[in-house]
Structures are given as C-alpha cells and as structure tokens.
Amino acid sequence: MSRPVSKVREAKLELYRKRGKIHAKASSGRFNTLRWAMVWFTQIIFYGTCWLNWESDGLSRQAVLFDIAHEKFYLFGLVLWPQDALLLAYLLIIAATALFLATALAGRVFCGFACPQTIYTMIFSWVEAQVEGDHLARLKLDQSPWTARKLLLRTTKHGLWFVIAAWTAITFVGYFTPVRDVLAALPGWQVGPWEGFWLIFYCAFTYAMAGLAREAVCQHMCPYSRFQGVMFDQTTSTVSYDAGRGEPRNRRQQAGKTGDCIDCNICVEVCPTGIDIRDGLQYQCINCGLCVDACDQVMTRIGAPTGLIRFASERELAGRPQPQGWRERPRVAVYAGLLVIFAVFGTLTASQRSLLLVNVQRDRGALLRETAEGRIENAYTLNLMNLAEAPRDFAVEVQGIPGLEIVGPREFAAESGSIRPVQLTVSAPADSGLRGIQPIEFRIVARQDPASGQVEKSSFILP
Ligand code: SF4
Ligand code: SF4
C-alpha cells in the first residue's frame, strides 16, 4: 500500500532539513550567476596573484609576499615594514566597517556571496555533483549499500577534493614563502618545518570545512553568524518570504482563496543550508538568494509576478516605504560615517609614509667637550632606518646655532630595510653668545630622493 502523498513529501523534506547531509538541488538564476562570478573573481586573484613577479632595482621577486623571516610585506611596488603596522590596522578596521555596513544594508550578503567558506563549499559541491550526479542521485547514493561503483565514485570525489585542498594549501603557504620555492621543495618533502605544518594544516582544514562540514560551519561554528543580528534593523534588506502574498499556501491554487505560494518546496530543495525561508528570518540563512532564483522561476511558470521571495526589509514587507534619510537608518549612518573617517585617516597615514625613520639621541654621558680651538662639541647617536627596497645614501646636516657644524663624515650608506647607527660629533663656536641648552635640528636627506627630507629635533649644550 502506498503512503499518502503528504507523508511522502514530508519525508522527502526531512531529508533536506535535518537528517544527514544536505544535497541541495542545482539552481540557476541571477543570484546563482552572481555567486559564481564571485567564485571566479576571488579565486583567480587568490590562485593567480602569488605567481606574479615584480621587477625592482634590476631584481625580480614575488609581487605579493608576506616575508615573515625578514619582516617585510611586499605588495607589488610597495614594501611594508613592522613600522607600518598602523596602515595594516587601518586596512583591517576599514574592511570590518565595510562588512558591518554591508550587513546593515543587506544582511548576510558577505556570507552568501564572498565568504571563503561559501566559495569553497560551492567549488567542492560542484565537484561532487560532477562525480556523483544531481541531488537525487546523491541522495540515492548516500542510502545505497557499498558497491564497487559507490567506492569508485566516492574515491574519485575525495581524490579531487584532496587535490583542490592541497593546491589551496600550496597557494596559501606560497604567500608567505615564495610559491616557486614551495613547489620545488615538495618532491622529497624538503619544505621547512613551518611550511610543512601549514601545508598539512591548511590542506586538512580546507578539505574538512568545504568538503565535510559545509553549512554546519555557517550554522554552528561561525561566530559572525551569531552576532551580526545586532547590525540588523527594520530597514535591513534580507532574503524574505512575502507571507502576505504567499499565504495561505496551497498546491492547488484557487483564485481569491489561496496565496501565490504553491507549496512546491523548491525553495527548500535549493537551499544550501537546508532551511525553509517561509518560516521567517533564521540565523542559518546566508542570504545567498538561491531560493529567490528558484521561486522566481516557479512564479514565472504559473504566470504570477516574481518576488514572492525577495530581498526586502521588515518595513517593506509590512507595506511601509524604505526610508531614504540617514536619520531613520542610524546604523547605516554610523557605519558609513566610520568608514569615511577611517578611510580618510588611512589615506592620510599612507600619504605621509616616509621611507626613512630617524631616531636622534644625545650622548648623555659626556654633556659637552671644549676643544683647543675654542669650540664646544656634543656627541649624538643617529639611528637611520632605510625602509626603501634598495640601499640608500643619507646626507646629514645640522642647524640651529650660528657656526654649528658636523665634525667628520656627513654621508652614510644604509642597506635596504636596515638600521644604520651613526655616531656624530657636532661642534659650535664657544663665543656664539648663547648659553645653556639650545634647540637644534638634524636634517637627513636621501641622495637618491632629494625631495624627501626628514627633520629631527634635538638640543645642544653650551657652557
Ligand atoms: S518556491 Fe515559491 S512557490 Fe514554491 S514553495 Fe517556495 S515560496 Fe512557495
Ligand atoms: S533560505 Fe534562501 S537565501 Fe537563505 S540560505 Fe537558503 S537559499 Fe540561501
């Protein structure tokens, strides 16, 4: 005897909702296209950038490299040092604020379109679908006993997943150790201990997160999914079901008696996190828009307007217009304001960045020395830090007292990225008419870049 239709349908839905692995039905549409565009965009950058080289001073190096051993971060023509940590801090703050702003405007769009977990889950799921077939074939395979075919399909899938995970790990490590060196060291496992650790860890991490854990990461592990609700308000546009239009749902539509939802459940079948958006806003929803694509196609098929499921705010669903002024959207205004402020400060910091750092210390052991020629001498230590990518020669001048001059050499070479300590003796005439502690200035200029001078204040002691 066959089971009643509703029970069969309910059992089928349960497969998507709670039990075991979620095998989402493949979907198409504008949000699906946008998601794949993000996959291509981000992964071409990630897998490709580490292979680019940059010519500098006749030398070729990897264009983007976090050289931890030498405490440098190469970004094409830019070389950042630990002293530039403030710039990095600005960059991180700007990225975080932009994420908050995007969340306040459009909910979890980052999760649905740009999060690495989403991107790699999409890639791994695509591989799975190519090997094992569509969602129904995969469900069937899951429930079937182990046969030679199942073993072959599973081995192929896991093998391909491993290759992608391994290549992702090599690429990741390749941003910290030149990727060509990493690749050359792999045969015979000649990599260093840290490279070896990160290769294994990142490979296993990618494999486990994107292949095995998938949506469970978004639902149970990701802390951002838990606290981003505080950035939502009534004007935040999230993927929503228009219950006013859709209910009462019914598979057999009756004009005037039922809503537009025909209860086909396709929106549930395509959902990568296995939820039913018709149950309302849920923390598991990553705002991927796949249910929007699916429902739009259903609506088109039955001749109803699209948008039964759409990006909409609570206000819009309640039939109130979306506010345009910032006063009614305080969260958006605050995040946008912070974004502008941090972007301005970050740009100012970057524009004032100097490739020379100087520290001047007066020798406090011997306050002053009087010479036979009737001059007064003070001793100083200058630390010249060359942040340029090439060796540079620095000319040092001193001013502030009539007749003030440097005794001995006034030009000093410093290697790239090195600190050159310099002992300097500065002399002033004893009969200058000045007494006690007098302010003076050291001016340091790179011969290779005369436009960039740096002035450091200090003091000179006279009797
Ligand atoms: S896809 Fe649209 S019509 Fe079908 S169940 Fe979902 S909301 Fe209803
Ligand atoms: S409910 Fe819709 S938007 Fe949310 S995760 Fe599922 S398919 Fe994506």
Side-chain angles (χ1 to χ4, degrees), residues 78 80 84 86-88 90-91 342-355:
L78 185 67
L80 297 175
D84 295 309
L86 186 61
L87 272 181
L88 192 63
Y90 272 124
L91 212 61
F342 289 126
V344 168
F345 276 111
T347 309
L348 277 177
T349 308
S351 67
Q352 288 166 2
R353 180 175 180 263
S354 171
L355 294 177

Side-chain angles (χ1 to χ4, degrees), residues 69-108:
H70 299 101
E71 298 183 338
K72 292 183 202 173
F73 171 37
Y74 296 106
L75 188 64
F76 298 95
L78 185 67
V79 186
L80 297 175
W81 304 84
Q83 289 75 6
D84 295 309
L86 186 61
L87 272 181
L88 192 63
Y90 272 124
L91 212 61
L92 293 176
I93 293 170
I94 288 169
T97 317
L99 180 60
F100 296 163
L101 177 62
T103 307
L105 284 169
R108 296 180 71 179

Side-chain angles (χ1 to χ4, degrees), residues 46 164-174 198-200 202-204 206:
F46 174 67
I164 297 172
W167 194 251
T168 307
I170 291 168
T171 305
F172 177 76
V173 173
W198 283 109
L199 281 170
I200 294 168
Y202 207 77
C203 177
T206 307

Side-chain angles (χ1 to χ4, degrees), residues 351-370:
S351 67
Q352 288 166 2
R353 180 175 180 263
S354 171
L355 294 177
L356 167 66
L357 290 182
V358 183
N359 173 263
V360 178
Q361 285 180 326
R362 202 166 49 73
D363 186 349
R364 297 184 189 277
L367 285 184
L368 60 93
R369 195 166 74 87
E370 212 160 343

Side-chain angles (χ1 to χ4, degrees), residues 92-145:
L92 293 176
I93 293 170
I94 288 169
T97 317
L99 180 60
F100 296 163
L101 177 62
T103 307
L105 284 169
R108 296 180 71 179
V109 276
F110 172 78
C111 305
F113 293 84
C115 174
Q117 175 62 26
T118 293
I119 301 260
Y120 286 99
T121 299
M122 285 175 70
I123 296 172
F124 276 54
S125 300
W126 180 84
V127 169
E128 186 176 60
Q130 301 311 304
V131 175
E132 295 183 352
D134 67 13
H135 65 300
L136 293 175
R138 298 198 301 271
L139 276 170
K140 211 168 136 194
L141 191 70
D142 268 1
Q143 292 157 5
S144 70

